Amino acid sequence: ERVLGEEEFLQWKDQQDAAMAIKDNRAKEDAMHKAACDIEHGLSVLGVTCVEDRLQEKVGETIKLVRDANISLWLITGD
């Protein structure tokens, strides 16, 4: 079991932010994939949920409530 500490998270966040800033789409995708693999290695998932791809009733409100509650939220799309 691995616990993700604040320092490790902040280092990863810098890596993710740098990846997001890359202009070349292929290089950006590769850097983002590496960042995702780095952060996910050895972690156990505590909870996962899914929202259907099309925007459903109250999805926007629900996302806002989750974020306002200071819960980390990752939105992953197939786009």
Side-chain angles (χ1 to χ4, degrees), residues 61-71:
E61 294 172 39
T62 302
I63 291 170
K64 183 177 181 336
L65 287 171
V66 169
R67 295 187 79 179
D68 289 349
N70 231 4
I71 298 173

Side-chain angles (χ1 to χ4, degrees), residues 34-76:
K34 181 178 183 331
C37 288
D38 288 349
I39 196 73
E40 294 170 359
H41 176 73
L43 288 178
S44 297
V45 176
L46 297 178
V48 175
T49 188
C50 179
V51 177
E52 191 173 332
D53 204 32
R54 63 178 179 228
L55 192 58
Q56 296 176 345
E57 186 177 320
K58 298 194 179 189
V59 169
E61 294 172 39
T62 302
I63 291 170
K64 183 177 181 336
L65 287 171
V66 169
R67 295 187 79 179
D68 289 349
N70 231 4
I71 298 173
S72 296
L73 178 66
W74 288 20
L75 298 178
I76 302 170

Side-chain angles (χ1 to χ4, degrees), residues 10-27:
L10 292 173
Q11 289 174 349
W12 170 82
K13 186 175 181 320
D14 289 343
Q15 179 185 10
Q16 177 72 5
D17 290 345
M20 294 289 292
I22 295 173
K23 301 291 184 208
D24 177 71
N25 285 340
R26 180 62 186 174

